[in-house]
Amino acid sequence: MNIEYGLRRNINILKSLKGFQYLLFLLPVLVPFYQSQGLSTGEVIYLQAVFGIAVFLFEVPTGYISDKLSRKLSIQIGFLLCGVSYSLYGLMDGFLYYAILQTVIGFGACCISGSNDALMYDSLLSMGKSHEYVKHKSSMSSVGNFMEAFAGVVGGLVAILSLVYAAYLQGFAMLLGFLVALWLVEPPIHREEELVHLDEIKKALRIVFVEKREIFWVLMYGTAISGMTFSSVWLFQPVLIENGVSVGLFGWFWAAMNLSVGLMVMTVPWMQKKFSLKFSLLMIPILTCVGMVLIGVWGALISLLFYLAVTWARAARGVFTSVLLNDRVPSSLRATILSMDSMFFRLVFAVVAPLLGWVVDTRGVGNGFLIVAIVFGVLSVIPYRKLIKYHVV
């Protein structure tokens, strides 16, 4: 097979894999599912902390393995592990059982994280089309959001029959993704120098923490924004529960939320041309905080309209930080360093999650929104100022 044909096909395959990855049939009804298994809302958040710790532990090692062995194989392993784990979701119950599954899913997610972006960027780079990365990255993100919206509707309808059916369906989607990933082609890695054995991880860490401090602050900025948007996902469903929304309608709300993200991410290339990067990165945390405070104070179902501010931030953050990182990291360590983007925010969320879970269980979901806005809003100030200092924006 012609290598250039395979590299061009990689782009479409990676977009389709994004779709399979985001066929999250269980996610729109995950809180009711866990509650049906005897877990509290706080314990649901604690499980996400377990997932976050798993990502923190596995993100860099899996990124390193991806860079050194095969990004294609890493993606395939990730889909396989997630598919099997979700297929086991309905066999037992209890916090410990789900904590184990979340750990395995976290490892699988790490195998995919970073590798997909690195594979796309290096495929384009090998074809001399790296300048098209923003367009394809935005398109890939949009595919993921639209498929998550579709899965939300289907998952909600399937949950009417049985909540566990949504988990089985999600496992099936991940296994289909594994089969599609078998068609990927490994692109050449553009090395700036030959690196050897495990010292490469030390080199990646030295680049982030010492040699190129601007990369560290891009990661910290992304951590603060992701912490806000990710936390809000686990507060979204409790708002529906508090307002008496039936489980069958959860998927429609979830679909509306993710359709908005899909539409918002399509505006990012336009925003990139219309506004300065400095202005865009400033508006992302401001609008997110304002939206979450208004939801927390009001609490009524109609207040979820302010969630549009959060979805816009989620869309813009993913594209902008990915571009900033890809422009600054060496190709031979691309997946390793991109993996740190997810690793850092998962670690911060794991630290904040116990407080958030306690607040939600004892003070209500509205106060949970306020805590998230305050904590992560403050955390976004320092990295933004550092990005200005290092002339990133």
Side-chain angles (χ1 to χ4, degrees):
M1 181 180 63
N2 181 277
I3 183 65
E4 185 166 348
Y5 170 75
L7 295 175
R8 286 200 306 270
R9 194 177 65 178
N10 270 359
I11 307 304
N12 291 326
I13 292 176
L14 287 168
K15 290 178 183 179
S16 67
L17 288 177
K18 194 71 170 181
F20 283 109
Q21 187 181 358
Y22 278 81
L23 281 174
L24 303 173
F25 297 104
L26 178 62
L27 194 58
V29 292
L30 190 59
V31 175
F33 172 82
Y34 280 136
Q35 289 181 344
S36 72
Q37 304 300 308
L39 276 62
S40 69
T41 303
E43 287 177 313
V44 175
I45 296 174
Y46 300 152
L47 282 176
Q48 302 317 306
V50 171
F51 181 85
I53 293 170
V55 170
F56 173 74
L57 294 175
F58 300 134
E59 193 72 89
V60 170
T62 55
Y64 170 79
I65 292 171
S66 171
D67 278 332
K68 298 306 115 189
L69 297 182
S70 170
R71 289 161 182 173
K72 176 182 71 173
L73 180 61
S74 180
I75 292 171
Q76 293 166 354
I77 292 173
F79 273 99
L80 182 61
L81 288 176
C82 290
V84 171
S85 297
Y86 281 117
S87 299
L88 297 174
Y89 241 62
L91 298 184
M92 296 178 64
D93 57 20
F95 182 87
L96 180 59
Y97 176 71
Y98 290 118
I100 294 172
L101 288 181
Q102 283 289 291
T103 302
V104 177
I105 292 170
F107 180 83
C110 289
C111 290
I112 300 171
S113 172
S115 295
N116 50 6
D117 280 347
L119 193 63
M120 172 173 281
Y121 192 87
D122 278 326
S123 294
L124 291 169
L125 192 62
S126 297
M127 295 186 291
K129 297 180 179 180
S130 59
H131 60 281
E132 296 182 1
Y133 177 77
V134 172
K135 178 181 72 174
H136 290 296
K137 171 67 176 178
S138 298
S139 176
M140 185 168 71
S141 298
S142 186
V143 168
N145 294 130
F146 286 132
M147 293 305 287
E148 188 172 358
F150 165 77
V153 174
V154 175
L157 294 175
V158 169
I160 297 175
L161 301 176
S162 174
L163 287 165
V164 75
Y165 288 170
Y168 294 150
L169 197 56
Q170 187 164 326
F172 179 70
M174 291 291 183
L175 292 175
L176 283 180
F178 163 72
L179 295 177
V180 172
L182 296 176
W183 291 89
L184 287 169
V185 172
E186 196 75 31
I189 295 179
H190 297 267
R191 294 180 179 273
E192 286 144 1
E193 59 183 53
E194 283 300 319
L195 303 172
V196 292
H197 41 78
L198 292 177
D199 285 344
E200 298 170 40
I201 289 184
K202 294 180 182 179
K203 179 174 177 62
L205 294 173
R206 187 166 64 250
I207 288 173
V208 171
F209 289 98
V210 180
E211 296 177 4
K212 295 186 177 181
R213 292 282 292 171
E214 66 273 19
I215 294 178
F216 172 78
W217 291 114
V218 172
L219 291 170
M220 290 300 97
Y221 175 85
T223 292
I225 306 305
S226 293
M228 276 193 280
T229 58
F230 184 77
S231 298
S232 69
V233 169
W234 303 107
L235 299 176
F236 188 87
Q237 292 178 39
V239 171
L240 300 182
I241 294 172
E242 286 192 355
N243 283 276
V245 177
S246 65
V247 170
L249 295 176
F250 272 46
W252 292 98
F253 280 94
W254 200 260
M257 179 184 73
N258 285 286
L259 280 174
S260 67
V261 178
L263 292 171
M264 295 292 187
V265 79
M266 293 173 68
T267 69
V268 174
W270 172 81
M271 290 166 50
Q272 188 184 33
K273 296 177 182 179
K274 188 72 174 177
F275 302 105
S276 70
L277 185 59
K278 183 177 181 180
F279 177 80
S280 298
L281 295 186
L282 175 62
M283 293 309 297
I284 289 173
I286 289 177
L287 290 179
T288 307
C289 287
V290 170
M292 297 189 73
V293 168
L294 290 173
I295 296 172
V297 171
W298 194 350
L301 201 59
I302 191 66
S303 70
L304 290 178
L305 287 174
F306 297 117
Y307 203 80
L308 289 172
V310 181
T311 61
W312 175 79
R314 177 179 163 189
R317 176 265 182 228
V319 176
F320 282 130
T321 57
S322 183
V323 171
L324 290 174
L325 290 172
N326 273 307
D327 286 346
R328 289 168 172 80
V329 302
S331 178
S332 59
L333 294 171
R334 195 178 307 283
T336 303
I337 293 177
L338 289 179
S339 294
M340 294 182 188
D341 187 25
S342 175
M343 181 189 76
F344 286 154
F345 110 75
R346 296 288 183 179
L347 175 62
V348 171
F349 178 79
V351 173
V352 175
L355 170 63
L356 181 58
W358 176 81
V359 169
V360 170
D361 275 347
T362 60
R363 298 288 186 261
V365 66
N367 285 313
F369 273 103
L370 296 178
I371 288 293
V372 170
I374 292 170
V375 171
F376 288 105
V378 170
L379 288 178
S380 69
V381 174
I382 296 175
Y384 178 76
R385 290 172 63 88
K386 292 293 185 179
L387 293 181
I388 296 174
K389 175 182 176 181
Y390 285 96
H391 306 291
V392 175
V393 297

